[in-house]
mmCIF file of all heavy atoms in Angstrom:
data_model
loop_
_atom_site.group_PDB
_atom_site.id
_atom_site.type_symbol
_atom_site.label_atom_id
_atom_site.label_comp_id
_atom_site.label_asym_id
_atom_site.label_seq_id
_atom_site.Cartn_x
_atom_site.Cartn_y
_atom_site.Cartn_z
ATOM 1 N N ALA A 631 -6.643 14.290 -1.596
ATOM 2 C CA ALA A 631 -5.294 13.844 -1.104
ATOM 3 C C ALA A 631 -4.227 14.909 -1.471
ATOM 4 O O ALA A 631 -4.344 15.529 -2.542
ATOM 5 C CB ALA A 631 -5.024 12.496 -1.695
ATOM 6 N N ILE A 632 -3.246 15.070 -0.692
ATOM 7 C CA ILE A 632 -2.163 16.008 -0.987
ATOM 8 C C ILE A 632 -0.834 15.286 -1.244
ATOM 9 O O ILE A 632 -0.442 14.479 -0.507
ATOM 10 C CB ILE A 632 -1.982 16.978 0.181
ATOM 11 C CG1 ILE A 632 -3.274 17.778 0.386
ATOM 12 C CG2 ILE A 632 -0.854 18.010 -0.130
ATOM 13 C CD1 ILE A 632 -3.262 18.654 1.643
ATOM 14 N N LEU A 633 -0.266 15.677 -2.386
ATOM 15 C CA LEU A 633 0.968 15.035 -2.774
ATOM 16 C C LEU A 633 2.013 16.038 -3.212
ATOM 17 O O LEU A 633 1.688 17.076 -3.878
ATOM 18 C CB LEU A 633 0.756 14.101 -3.988
ATOM 19 C CG LEU A 633 -0.132 12.931 -3.760
ATOM 20 C CD1 LEU A 633 -0.466 12.150 -5.131
ATOM 21 C CD2 LEU A 633 0.452 11.916 -2.736
ATOM 22 N N PRO A 634 3.225 15.928 -2.863
ATOM 23 C CA PRO A 634 4.287 16.802 -3.274
ATOM 24 C C PRO A 634 4.695 16.589 -4.710
ATOM 25 O O PRO A 634 4.802 15.442 -5.155
ATOM 26 C CB PRO A 634 5.467 16.491 -2.284
ATOM 27 C CG PRO A 634 5.286 15.070 -1.947
ATOM 28 C CD PRO A 634 3.799 14.873 -1.934
ATOM 29 N N VAL A 635 4.886 17.628 -5.445
ATOM 30 C CA VAL A 635 5.295 17.496 -6.908
ATOM 31 C C VAL A 635 6.427 18.395 -7.203
ATOM 32 O O VAL A 635 6.668 19.400 -6.576
ATOM 33 C CB VAL A 635 4.081 17.872 -7.783
ATOM 34 C CG1 VAL A 635 2.890 16.940 -7.501
ATOM 35 C CG2 VAL A 635 3.737 19.297 -7.665
ATOM 36 N N ARG A 636 7.150 18.016 -8.274
ATOM 37 C CA ARG A 636 8.130 18.953 -8.893
ATOM 38 C C ARG A 636 7.419 19.464 -10.086
ATOM 39 O O ARG A 636 6.665 18.849 -10.798
ATOM 40 C CB ARG A 636 9.402 18.211 -9.348
ATOM 41 C CG ARG A 636 10.252 17.802 -8.144
ATOM 42 C CD ARG A 636 11.656 17.313 -8.569
ATOM 43 N NE ARG A 636 12.457 16.842 -7.423
ATOM 44 C CZ ARG A 636 13.152 17.663 -6.620
ATOM 45 N NH1 ARG A 636 13.130 18.986 -6.817
ATOM 46 N NH2 ARG A 636 13.858 17.205 -5.660
ATOM 47 N N TYR A 637 7.688 20.842 -10.349
ATOM 48 C CA TYR A 637 6.988 21.458 -11.442
ATOM 49 C C TYR A 637 7.928 22.340 -12.288
ATOM 50 O O TYR A 637 8.987 22.758 -11.774
ATOM 51 C CB TYR A 637 5.861 22.355 -10.883
ATOM 52 C CG TYR A 637 6.287 23.464 -10.024
ATOM 53 C CD1 TYR A 637 6.529 24.745 -10.443
ATOM 54 C CD2 TYR A 637 6.516 23.265 -8.559
ATOM 55 C CE1 TYR A 637 6.950 25.767 -9.663
ATOM 56 C CE2 TYR A 637 6.940 24.253 -7.742
ATOM 57 C CZ TYR A 637 7.145 25.538 -8.278
ATOM 58 O OH TYR A 637 7.532 26.542 -7.486
ATOM 59 N N LEU A 638 7.522 22.535 -13.573
ATOM 60 C CA LEU A 638 8.280 23.301 -14.505
ATOM 61 C C LEU A 638 7.585 24.684 -14.799
ATOM 62 O O LEU A 638 6.356 24.731 -14.521
ATOM 63 C CB LEU A 638 8.504 22.557 -15.787
ATOM 64 C CG LEU A 638 9.285 21.190 -15.646
ATOM 65 C CD1 LEU A 638 9.331 20.479 -17.020
ATOM 66 C CD2 LEU A 638 10.617 21.357 -15.055
ATOM 67 N N PRO A 639 8.302 25.585 -15.347
ATOM 68 C CA PRO A 639 7.684 26.920 -15.619
ATOM 69 C C PRO A 639 6.459 26.841 -16.534
ATOM 70 O O PRO A 639 5.550 27.675 -16.450
ATOM 71 C CB PRO A 639 8.770 27.690 -16.325
ATOM 72 C CG PRO A 639 10.046 27.082 -15.740
ATOM 73 C CD PRO A 639 9.732 25.602 -15.627
ATOM 74 N N ASP A 640 6.368 25.822 -17.399
ATOM 75 C CA ASP A 640 5.247 25.703 -18.230
ATOM 76 C C ASP A 640 4.039 24.969 -17.639
ATOM 77 O O ASP A 640 3.076 24.668 -18.319
ATOM 78 C CB ASP A 640 5.675 24.975 -19.585
ATOM 79 C CG ASP A 640 6.152 23.583 -19.361
ATOM 80 O OD1 ASP A 640 6.084 23.090 -18.207
ATOM 81 O OD2 ASP A 640 6.534 22.922 -20.350
ATOM 82 N N GLY A 641 4.186 24.598 -16.373
ATOM 83 C CA GLY A 641 3.053 24.017 -15.675
ATOM 84 C C GLY A 641 3.055 22.488 -15.625
ATOM 85 O O GLY A 641 2.192 21.863 -15.073
ATOM 86 N N GLN A 642 4.091 21.853 -16.249
ATOM 87 C CA GLN A 642 4.202 20.388 -16.222
ATOM 88 C C GLN A 642 4.576 20.004 -14.771
ATOM 89 O O GLN A 642 5.352 20.679 -14.129
ATOM 90 C CB GLN A 642 5.227 19.875 -17.202
ATOM 91 C CG GLN A 642 4.924 20.104 -18.614
ATOM 92 C CD GLN A 642 6.014 19.492 -19.480
ATOM 93 O OE1 GLN A 642 6.122 18.238 -19.579
ATOM 94 N NE2 GLN A 642 6.787 20.320 -20.183
ATOM 95 N N VAL A 643 4.012 18.792 -14.348
ATOM 96 C CA VAL A 643 4.355 18.392 -13.004
ATOM 97 C C VAL A 643 4.607 16.872 -12.950
ATOM 98 O O VAL A 643 4.185 16.141 -13.869
ATOM 99 C CB VAL A 643 3.211 18.664 -11.988
ATOM 100 C CG1 VAL A 643 2.890 20.152 -11.907
ATOM 101 C CG2 VAL A 643 1.951 17.870 -12.400
ATOM 102 N N THR A 644 5.352 16.496 -11.959
ATOM 103 C CA THR A 644 5.595 14.970 -11.726
ATOM 104 C C THR A 644 5.641 14.816 -10.212
ATOM 105 O O THR A 644 6.074 15.766 -9.452
ATOM 106 C CB THR A 644 6.856 14.524 -12.420
ATOM 107 O OG1 THR A 644 6.921 13.126 -12.339
ATOM 108 C CG2 THR A 644 8.092 15.080 -11.722
ATOM 109 N N LEU A 645 5.256 13.663 -9.691
ATOM 110 C CA LEU A 645 5.383 13.399 -8.264
ATOM 111 C C LEU A 645 6.835 13.531 -7.827
ATOM 112 O O LEU A 645 7.747 13.016 -8.529
ATOM 113 C CB LEU A 645 4.810 12.062 -7.941
ATOM 114 C CG LEU A 645 3.313 11.839 -8.204
ATOM 115 C CD1 LEU A 645 2.872 10.505 -7.709
ATOM 116 C CD2 LEU A 645 2.478 12.987 -7.641
ATOM 117 N N ALA A 646 7.057 14.180 -6.694
ATOM 118 C CA ALA A 646 8.446 14.384 -6.242
ATOM 119 C C ALA A 646 8.980 13.182 -5.473
ATOM 120 O O ALA A 646 9.255 13.283 -4.242
ATOM 121 C CB ALA A 646 8.425 15.661 -5.315
ATOM 122 N N ILE A 647 9.052 12.052 -6.201
ATOM 123 C CA ILE A 647 9.457 10.807 -5.532
ATOM 124 C C ILE A 647 10.965 10.792 -5.181
ATOM 125 O O ILE A 647 11.425 9.934 -4.497
ATOM 126 C CB ILE A 647 9.108 9.605 -6.361
ATOM 127 C CG1 ILE A 647 9.777 9.699 -7.721
ATOM 128 C CG2 ILE A 647 7.616 9.507 -6.560
ATOM 129 C CD1 ILE A 647 9.535 8.484 -8.606
ATOM 130 N N ASP A 648 11.713 11.746 -5.666
ATOM 131 C CA ASP A 648 13.142 11.827 -5.436
ATOM 132 C C ASP A 648 13.546 12.823 -4.368
ATOM 133 O O ASP A 648 14.717 12.953 -4.010
ATOM 134 C CB ASP A 648 13.909 12.196 -6.749
ATOM 135 C CG ASP A 648 13.532 13.605 -7.181
ATOM 136 O OD1 ASP A 648 12.358 14.067 -6.916
ATOM 137 O OD2 ASP A 648 14.390 14.252 -7.820
#
Side-chain angles (χ1 to χ4, degrees):
I632 299 174
L633 296 172
V635 301
R636 288 193 182 277
Y637 61 94
L638 300 179
D640 61 2
Q642 294 185 69
V643 300
T644 189
L645 297 186
I647 59 178
D648 64 329

